[in-house]
Amino acid sequence: MRSWTDSLRFAFQPVVNLTTGTVAALEILARPEHGDVLARARREPELDGRLAALAVGDAARRETLLPLHVNVFAGTLADLGGLWALRDAVRAAGRLPWEVTVDVGPPFTHVPHRALLEGVAALRDEGFRICADGVGDGDLPLRLLDDLAPDLVKLDASLLARAASVRAMRTLCEESGALLAVEGVESESQCVAARDAGAQLAQGDLFAPPSRLPTSDVYLPRLPAAGGEFRPSGPSVREFVRPAALLPQGASAERVRKLLTGAPEVSGVLLVDASGVPVRSVQRDRFLLSLSARYGHALYADRPAARLGDPPRTVGVAATAWEVLDVVADGERSRTADDVAVVDDKGRCVGVVRLADLVRALAESRVEEAAGLNPLTRLPGSDAVTGEVDRWLAQGRGFALTWLDIDGFKQVNDGAGFAAGDELIRAVGRALARTESEELRVGHIGGDDFLVLAAPERLDPLAAAMLDAPWTAGGRAVTLSLATLVCPPGSVPDHRGAAASLAPLKRAAKALPGASWVCGQAGRAGYVVRRGTAADGTAVVPAP
């Protein structure tokens, strides 16, 4: 009698790293040739758990080294708890639990949340990684998503049309330490939108459709460099993680040789202990050179490969790209090209990063950043500040947007000369730059105009620093004007709305003689004169 498993086939679809353009993992998709096995699996947890186990077994027969994603319904995990069939299949395949991500998918309605969270905790304790699948297009409550604390969140590509929602999800992921992926990407415009929205990973037919054989060859369109976001600490190392080739610490040199010669894309092998903690790093070129030397194979083939390895270099998943460069710079010069292992909070390897990926991305970001800097002050332009405004809006943060300029700047240029005018602009730019912090961003719009994004509590120190200082050009005193729009959460839709509300405040500030500061609040008529001839500290003047 034919079993339902006889007509079951599996397909593999790559999960692509949008920064490096490499395959980060393979999702295994069940493809029954006939029947409705998947519908049955939604109703029968035991069947769904067996499908996940069969998927891992099929991947093992394909001899893929890439990390795996397997799908289970939320109800299955709540009912079966630890998914023992999957655990046994991973062990039988010789894979490590942290090489497998469990994609927990909808429906979530009527699933006992406590039982689901207990099942997730059991898998996580074993080392499995957890992905929240179908977010934004399913029925996953936000509170449950927060409780799941997934390592990865997958959004449907249809959500890319709602950019603010995707940015908000990226913010949530950043704060929880999760990666963001977009699935179902079918066009280059969707790919660009996914990357611009902050997704690190993506999958879909654009890169490679599901296929019977695992593939590491994908199409990635040439993406324009991303800009506009302030990132003083540098990009996260998570954006550059590649799959790691892992073997037990006692693996023989011959076993490592077979892996390296059979997988030319692998640049090195990490030998890990029973917990998945790297203990030795075997670099491809040095290892194969040692084995190819006279008597090398005879001397080393049957001995532990660890003898030809080096102490691993590691960074935590929370590290930045610059911190990885520090690790490389502090090491031996002969190991500059070695992979750096990325480890979780338990020291287990979650992947590797390559120096070439970091250098390329950081160089591109520096070029893009330099292109957006004002040549006179070396401050970012308006795009950088307005991009940060939208990011704060997506986070639900209140903020204050301040416009600043030099009073009578044309007369300064006419009377003192353009060189004195340029030096004054540079001096104002330097003073503003000294106020910058995580809660205050400065941009030079052009000419004598500057834009400042700040937390409302930073306004008084900003005004004091700029308005109380004596400014001169060519021996003549000069004053500054400030106009500030305070935007409580939800008061403006985007940076354009904030700019439109700021414009009348700018005109009001310029109308006051001498140093001036005018403040208004989004959604309210009028403004308060905080500094200036007409200021009494409390007077509200009707908006023009």
Side-chain angles (χ1 to χ4, degrees):
M1 178 181 295
R2 284 175 57 83
S3 166
W4 61 269
T5 58
D6 294 334
S7 62
L8 184 65
R9 301 291 182 265
F10 291 94
F12 298 81
Q13 186 168 46
V15 179
V16 179
N17 184 314
L18 291 175
T19 300
T20 63
T22 57
V23 177
L26 293 171
E27 181 174 356
I28 315 174
L29 305 164
R31 291 289 188 264
E33 293 183 350
H34 57 79
D36 206 1
V37 173
L38 297 180
R40 282 179 51 202
R42 180 177 297 187
R43 301 188 302 269
E44 302 175 23
E46 293 285 352
L47 176 57
D48 191 34
R50 190 176 176 194
L51 280 175
L54 289 171
V56 171
D58 191 75
R61 287 191 293 274
R62 309 296 181 183
E63 297 184 344
T64 176
L65 297 172
L66 289 165
L68 306 174
H69 283 242
V70 295
N71 296 280
V72 297
F73 292 110
T76 297
L77 194 49
D79 192 78
L80 298 183
L83 289 179
W84 290 105
L86 175 62
R87 297 187 192 188
D88 292 343
V90 169
R91 190 177 301 111
R95 301 300 294 260
L96 301 170
W98 40 93
E99 296 180 275
V100 178
T101 298
V102 179
D103 288 10
V104 184
F108 291 89
T109 303
H110 307 309
V111 173
H113 289 184
R114 180 182 295 275
L116 174 59
L117 294 175
E118 288 174 353
V120 166
L123 285 177
R124 189 169 272 137
D125 287 344
E126 288 285 321
F128 289 92
R129 306 197 180 281
I130 303 299
C131 167
D133 202 358
V135 175
D137 196 40
D139 60 345
L140 176 58
L142 192 57
R143 177 181 292 181
L144 179 57
L145 175 62
D146 190 52
D147 290 341
L148 286 173
D151 303 284
L152 174 66
V153 171
K154 282 188 178 180
L155 300 181
D156 188 85
S158 61
L159 230 65
L160 293 174
R162 305 171 184 267
S165 298
V166 181
R167 286 196 299 270
M169 188 56 62
R170 166 65 192 265
T171 299
L172 188 150
C173 288
E174 284 181 341
E175 294 185 356
S176 65
L179 292 176
L180 180 64
V182 176
E183 55 186 349
V185 175
E186 297 180 349
S187 67
E188 296 193 7
S189 61
Q190 286 182 324
C191 181
V192 171
R195 204 284 308 271
D196 288 348
Q200 296 99 345
L201 303 172
Q203 63 186 112
D205 288 354
L206 173 69
F207 311 108
S211 63
R212 289 290 303 279
L213 295 177
T215 179
S216 59
D217 183 21
V218 297
Y219 167 74
L220 185 71
R222 182 173 178 82
L223 300 175
E229 181 179 342
F230 282 88
R231 306 184 72 176
S233 300
S236 168
V237 71
R238 286 173 169 266
E239 298 181 22
F240 304 94
V241 173
R242 290 173 175 259
L246 306 178
L247 286 177
Q249 61 182 333
S252 68
E254 177 62 13
R255 185 176 178 185
V256 171
R257 185 194 68 81
K258 288 182 178 179
L259 189 156
L260 291 174
T261 55
E265 73 279 3
V266 175
S267 56
V269 175
L270 289 172
L271 304 177
V272 297
D273 65 15
S275 300
V277 176
V279 294
R280 299 293 282 180
S281 174
V282 178
Q283 199 271 340
R284 179 188 189 91
D285 293 339
R286 291 198 301 276
F287 175 82
L288 294 179
L289 185 62
S290 297
L291 251 63
S292 63
R294 191 176 185 183
Y295 307 123
H297 191 271
L299 285 172
Y300 297 116
D302 295 328
R303 298 187 179 186
R307 296 189 178 189
L308 296 175
D310 299 287
R313 297 186 299 184
T314 62
V315 295
V317 292
T320 67
W322 294 110
E323 290 174 281
V324 179
L325 292 184
D326 288 340
V327 170
V328 174
D330 290 341
E332 300 174 23
R333 184 170 297 181
S334 62
R335 298 189 61 193
T336 300
D338 288 17
D339 294 342
V340 177
V342 181
V343 298
D344 62 15
D345 56 358
K346 296 183 179 180
R348 301 177 301 203
C349 180
V350 300
V352 296
V353 290
R354 295 180 181 175
L355 179 63
D357 290 338
L358 298 184
V359 171
R360 185 183 306 111
L362 292 174
E364 290 175 353
S365 68
R366 283 292 180 257
V367 169
E368 180 70 16
E369 179 183 324
L373 297 180
N374 186 285
L376 192 60
T377 59
R378 309 304 295 168
L379 289 173
S382 60
D383 285 350
V385 178
T386 54
E388 191 76 351
V389 168
D390 287 339
R391 186 165 178 261
W392 285 27
L393 284 169
Q395 295 172 351
R397 297 175 61 177
F399 62 89
L401 192 62
T402 296
W403 162 88
L404 177 151
D405 85 339
I406 300 168
D407 295 324
F409 184 70
K410 184 178 185 304
Q411 286 72 33
V412 171
N413 268 348
D414 290 344
F418 72 87
D422 286 353
E423 181 51 42
L424 176 60
I425 289 175
R426 280 192 286 265
V428 171
R430 287 193 295 269
L432 283 171
R434 286 194 292 270
T435 69
E436 194 166 41
S437 70
E438 285 293 328
E439 297 298 311
L440 190 148
R441 306 297 193 195
V442 178
H444 185 180
I445 302 174
D448 63 321
D449 291 293
F450 296 85
L451 198 60
V452 182
L453 170 67
E457 60 270 18
R458 294 296 308 275
L459 290 175
D460 287 331
L462 170 69
M466 303 311 297
L467 297 182
D468 292 344
W471 300 100
T472 61
R476 53 189 291 178
V478 177
T479 59
L480 307 180
S481 293
L482 278 71
T484 296
L485 179 73
V486 178
C487 302
S491 60
V492 292
D494 53 27
H495 71 266
R496 296 176 184 84
S501 297
L502 182 59
L505 302 180
K506 172 183 175 180
R507 292 193 295 271
K510 293 299 290 182
L512 295 173
S516 62
W517 181 22
V518 166
C519 283
Q521 181 171 318
R524 290 188 181 178
Y527 53 81
V528 174
V529 179
R530 301 283 297 274
R531 294 281 191 101
T533 304
D536 62 7
T538 59
V540 177
V541 183

